Amino acid sequence: MCGIVAAAARREVSEILLEGLRRLEYRGYDSAGMALIDDEFDLKIHKRKGKVAELEKAQLKQPYHGNTGVAHTRWATHGEPSGVNAHPHISGLRVALVHNGIIENHAALRAELIEDGYEIASATDTEVIVHLLHRSLAIGGSLLQAMQKTVVKLEGAYALAAVDIENPDTVVGARTGSPLVVGVGIGENFLASDTMALRQVTDRFIYLEEADLVCITPDSLEVYNADGSKVQRQVERIKEGLETTDLGNFDHYMIKEIFEQPEALEATFGGAINAEKVENHFGDDAPALFDQVKQVQIVACGTSYHAGLVARYWLEEIAGVSCDVEVASEFRYRKRVQHKGTLLVVISQSGETADTLAALRNATADEFIGSLVVSNVDNSSLVRECDLVFLTRAGIEIGVASTKAFTTQLVALLMLTLVLGRRRGLPDSRQRDIIAALQSLPECVRETLELNESIQRLSEAFIPKRHALFLARGIQYPIAMEGALKLKEISYIHAEAYPAGELKHGPLALVDSDMPVVAVAPNDELLEKLKSNLEEVRSRGGELFVFADTEAGFANEARVKILPVPNCPEVIRPIVYTVALQLLSYHVALQKGTDVDKPRNLAKSVTVE
Ligand code: AGP
C-alpha cells in the first residue's frame, strides 16, 4: 500500500528519498513521486505512473536537488494510477504533500475549496488536504500550525508529510489510523511509513502514536499530541541483522522466503522443551490471562484469516477450547454476542492491517477478557495495542504473497493451543507429542522443499488454465483455501477451495477436462471420504493433482498426478502441505511471467479499509 519517505537534512536528499521508495516497493504501488525544495526555494517535482525506476529515469534526465523533500509510492484508491493522481500534490506552487490512507469527507472538502477558488487537478481524496494546508498558511502561521488546523477537518485515515517553501528546512507530519515513524539522525531527521525505508540512514526510530503531529528540521524534532501539547516519545534502536533484503541466489523474494521457512519455523518455536517454556513466548502477563480463557475469538484478513481457521481445528480438537474465526472487515461492523471469558486473538503479519486494527479498537472490555496479537512486526500498531504479543520470527517478508509469515503464524497458534490445552487437562504425553512434532517441523519442511523440481514439472499443466479447484477435508480445508489464494494472487488464475464434501452441492458442475482439481490428501481419518469425492471428479473427466503422503495409497494414472509429500506427524501436516502448495503457485506464476513479488493490485501492508 502507499509509502511515505520524507527528509529534512543538511545534505542533499534526493537519493535518500529514492532509496527509501525502492525499499518500500514491496508494499505494492502503481505510481511514484518526489518533491524537493531546491536552493532557490522552489518546489521541484517528479511524478510517474508505474515503478520507482520510472521516477529514477525522470530524475536522471532532469536532476532535482534539495535538502528537504517528500516522496511517495501510491496505491490507487480514488482516481486511476496516473502522473496527475500520483503524490506529492501541490497547492499554490508553495506546499507539497504526500498521504497514506483515505479521507472519507473529501467530497465535502472539495466543494468547500472550489467555492474558495481552488482548482482541484486530480481525482484523489488527497489533494484537498494540500489545499487546506495552503489556505491555512495563506492566513498566516507556521507549517505546523497549518497542519494542526487542517487535520481537525479530516475524517478518515491518514499519515501525512508536507513541505512548504516558506519553511524550507521543515517537514511536518501527522498520523491517524495509518502508521508513520520518525527516523532520528544527526543533523538530519526523517519520516516514513515504516522503518525499512530509512534503514540506510538511521537505526533510531520514534513510532508516532495515534493523532500525533511531528515537526522535523535537520536539528530539531518535536512531537505534539491531539491536544496540541508537546510530548516526548521514546526513541527506539532497531537491532542490526534482523532485516536482510538481499535476494542472494534466488530470483524472487517469494521463493527465497519459501526456502527460509525451516529456519523461520525453528526460530518461532524457539526450541521450547515443555509447555511451560512455550508459555514464556507470550510474555509475563500471559499466565494470568490464559487462566481465565473459556473461548477464543480469532479475527484476521486474507492469509492470516486462514491461519485462524486452522487454529480453530487445533483449539477445539486438542485444547477443547471453543473458537470462532471471522474476517476483520465483517467482524468490525457486526453486532456481536460474545460469551464470557473470551480471548480476542488478532493475527496479522504486518500488524498494520486497517480492518484488523479497527476490529481490535472497537472490541470492548465487556466483550473480551483481553487481546493477543500474533504478528511478525515488532512495534507495529497491533503489537502496541494488544495486551499480549506473540512475535513470529519469520524475519522480514518482502513478497506480497505471504509464505513464511503464514507458516510461522501456524506455529504460534499451535503453541497457543498447547498452553491453553495444558490448562484444560491435555495429557502430558499429548503435550510431549506436539512439542516433538514442532521440533521435527523444520526437517519435514526441508524434505518438502526437495520437491521443488517435481512441483515445477507438475505446475506446467496449469499454465493454459483459467480456473482451478482446490479440495480438502478437515484441517486441510483452510490449507486448500490458502493454496487457492496463493495461486490467484500471483498467477491470476481464478482458484477456489471447497471442503470436498461440498462438491456435489454445487462446484461439481464446474468439473470438466479443462478444470484442474488440486487435492490436499494426507493419510488421515477423512482420507477415504476424500477419495470418494476425487472419484466423482475423475468420472467427470476432471484432471486431478493430488498432494498426498505415501501412506495415502494414491498412484499415478491417467488424469491423476500424485505429488508425494513427506510423511510427518499429523498435527504439523497443515504446515508441511502449505509449503508444497506455495511452491506450486510460485512455479505457475513464474511460467506465466507475472510479477511474482509484486502482483498487480495488491499491497503488502493493507493500511486502508
Ligand atoms: C497474503 O498472501 C495476502 N497478501 C493477504 O491476504 C494478507 O494476508 C492480508 O492482507 C492480511 O495481511 P496481514 O497479515 O498483514 O494482516
Side-chain angles (χ1 to χ4, degrees):
M1 214 123 269
C2 305
I4 288 176
V5 199
R10 288 208 210 104
R11 57 174 164 159
E12 209 281 308
V13 296
S14 62
E15 187 41 44
I16 293 173
L17 296 180
L18 284 169
E19 174 59 16
L21 293 187
R22 279 180 220 117
R23 286 164 171 260
L24 291 176
E25 282 192 294
Y26 78 98
R27 293 164 68 100
Y29 70 103
D30 39 48
S31 53
M34 169 171 78
L36 293 156
I37 300 180
D38 73 4
D39 287 352
E40 289 165 0
F41 306 116
D42 278 337
L43 269 180
K44 295 291 184 200
I45 298 179
H46 284 306
K47 303 206 282 186
R48 287 292 181 277
K49 180 182 168 183
K51 301 288 175 197
V52 172
E54 297 304 317
L55 193 66
E56 288 168 33
K57 279 188 210 154
Q59 168 75 356
L60 217 71
K61 208 166 155 199
Q62 171 72 71
Y64 291 147
H65 300 292
N67 294 3
T68 309
V70 290
H72 190 260
T73 46
R74 172 175 186 254
W75 189 86
T77 57
H78 296 62
E80 59 173 14
S82 69
V84 176
N85 289 335
H87 304 200
H89 291 284
I90 56 165
S91 187
L93 294 178
R94 176 177 174 177
V95 199
L97 170 127
V98 293
H99 165 223
N100 290 0
I102 289 181
I103 302 304
E104 287 165 1
N105 60 336
H106 71 99
L109 294 171
R110 178 179 279 257
E112 182 186 315
L113 286 159
I114 290 172
E115 203 153 289
D116 277 3
Y118 281 93
E119 277 178 29
I120 314 268
S122 74
T124 65
D125 54 329
T126 299
E127 197 184 333
V128 296
I129 314 173
V130 77
H131 296 308
L132 289 174
L133 260 181
H134 180 269
R135 190 172 70 179
S136 183
L137 280 166
I139 300 165
S142 68
L143 182 58
L144 177 72
Q145 288 164 333
M147 186 62 98
Q148 280 164 329
K149 287 181 193 146
T150 296
V151 292
V152 293
K153 295 186 78 82
L154 305 179
E155 287 167 22
Y158 51 83
L160 306 168
V163 292
D164 167 25
I165 57 171
E166 304 286 330
N167 296 268
D169 63 348
T170 304
V171 179
V172 165
R175 69 149 290 190
T176 284
S178 287
L180 193 65
V181 299
V182 185
V184 182
I186 299 167
E188 54 193 23
N189 287 303
F190 308 91
L191 301 180
S193 341
D194 71 40
T195 58
M196 269 291 287
L198 298 174
R199 295 302 306 275
Q200 84 277 21
V201 283
T202 186
D203 62 355
R204 292 184 303 143
F205 291 94
I206 292 172
Y207 296 88
L208 292 177
E209 292 185 10
E210 206 46 12
D212 275 355
L213 272 86
V214 63
C215 181
I216 59 168
T217 68
D219 301 307
S220 67
L221 185 176
E222 290 171 353
V223 182
Y224 298 84
N225 66 14
D227 306 335
S229 314
K230 203 160 159 185
V231 285
Q232 289 298 325
R233 300 274 181 243
Q234 204 184 329
V235 179
E236 301 190 25
R237 194 177 285 271
I238 291 200
K239 289 187 212 95
E240 283 303 325
L242 284 179
E243 293 168 346
T244 152
T245 55
D246 189 2
L247 261 181
N249 292 328
F250 292 97
D251 291 333
H252 297 97
Y253 286 108
M254 182 179 178
I255 190 73
K256 173 178 180 262
E257 288 158 5
I258 290 174
F259 272 82
E260 282 171 350
Q261 287 177 113
E263 291 73 33
L265 296 165
E266 196 160 12
T268 299
F269 179 52
I273 45 163
N274 58 39
E276 281 144 60
K277 295 264 187 281
V278 167
E279 193 153 313
N280 294 343
H281 288 261
F282 294 87
D284 295 345
D285 298 335
L289 192 54
F290 287 163
D291 283 346
Q292 305 167 50
V293 173
K294 295 199 167 53
Q295 327 222 26
V296 170
Q297 170 70 60
I298 296 179
V299 178
C301 301
T303 286
S304 297
Y305 167 67
H306 296 156
L309 291 175
V310 175
R312 178 168 61 190
Y313 286 88
W314 282 331
L315 283 166
E316 299 208 339
E317 223 167 283
I318 300 172
V321 180
S322 145
C323 174
D324 274 332
V325 190
E326 191 163 356
V327 289
S329 53
E330 288 300 315
F331 178 88
R332 63 180 287 195
Y333 289 118
R334 195 168 61 77
K335 290 230 175 344
R336 306 175 295 254
V337 179
Q338 295 301 159
H339 297 286
K340 267 195 166 358
T342 303
L343 174 70
L344 176 64
V345 177
V346 288
I347 310 170
S348 171
Q349 60 80 23
S350 65
E352 299 293 351
T353 300
D355 282 319
T356 313
L357 195 55
L360 173 74
R361 286 180 180 161
N362 79 18
T364 62
D366 285 348
E367 292 180 292
F368 299 102
I369 51 170
S371 57
L372 161 69
V373 61
V374 175
S375 180
N376 197 40
V377 181
D378 198 3
N379 270 309
S380 55
S381 302
L382 282 164
V383 165
R384 277 179 284 125
E385 294 185 30
C386 274
D387 301 322
L388 301 182
V389 174
F390 186 109
L391 275 181
T392 50
R393 302 284 171 192
I396 186 157
E397 191 180 70
I398 304 268
V400 166
S402 189
T403 53
K404 59 178 183 169
F406 174 68
T407 50
T408 53
Q409 284 169 350
L410 291 179
V411 166
L413 293 163
L414 186 51
M415 290 165 78
L416 177 68
T417 304
L418 195 63
V419 297
L420 293 182
R422 188 175 143 250
R423 286 179 162 67
R424 302 171 85 89
L426 183 68
D428 284 352
S429 57
R430 185 83 171 107
Q431 292 180 35
R432 280 196 298 275
D433 285 350
I434 294 172
I435 288 175
L438 281 163
Q439 282 163 345
S440 71
L441 178 61
E443 197 43 42
C444 291
V445 169
R446 268 184 208 106
E447 286 171 30
T448 309
L449 290 170
E450 283 171 19
L451 300 171
N452 191 28
E453 280 178 24
S454 329
I455 295 177
Q456 179 180 10
R457 283 193 293 278
L458 191 85
S459 69
E460 284 161 19
F462 289 75
I463 312 306
K465 306 293 184 194
R466 297 192 55 218
H467 308 277
L469 214 52
F470 283 65
L471 297 178
R473 277 180 175 260
I475 196 166
Q476 295 291 356
Y477 168 50
I479 298 306
M481 293 169 80
E482 174 58 13
L485 178 67
K486 266 322 64 114
L487 189 68
K488 68 184 138 196
E489 267 188 303
I490 60 168
S491 73
Y492 316 146
I493 291 176
H494 168 232
E496 293 303 335
Y498 274 92
E502 275 290 293
L503 198 57
K504 53 172 87 67
H505 299 291
L508 200 51
L510 294 170
V511 173
D512 61 14
S513 58
D514 226 20
M515 176 67 88
V517 177
V518 178
V520 187
N523 181 24
D524 60 22
E525 60 178 11
L526 294 170
L527 180 64
E528 291 312 315
K529 306 258 178 220
L530 178 62
K531 279 183 173 173
S532 307
N533 302 131
L534 300 187
E535 277 309 316
E536 291 160 6
V537 171
R538 271 191 76 198
S539 53
R540 280 152 188 91
E543 192 172 5
L544 282 170
F545 298 85
V546 185
F547 287 65
D549 55 55
T550 47
E551 288 167 10
F554 286 97
N556 279 307
E557 50 191 305
R559 302 192 68 73
V560 182
K561 293 204 178 59
I562 308 301
L563 196 283
V565 179
N567 290 331
C568 59
E570 186 164 348
V571 73
I572 57 166
R573 283 184 196 153
I575 305 174
V576 174
Y577 278 73
T578 296
V579 175
L581 295 178
Q582 292 168 349
L583 288 170
L584 175 69
S585 58
Y586 173 73
H587 286 297
V588 175
L590 196 64
Q591 293 174 77
K592 290 200 76 176
T594 59
D595 192 346
V596 174
D597 287 332
K598 291 179 225 119
R600 66 186 183 199
N601 306 336
L602 297 182
K604 185 72 188 162
S605 184
V606 183
T607 49
V608 294
E609 98 169 271

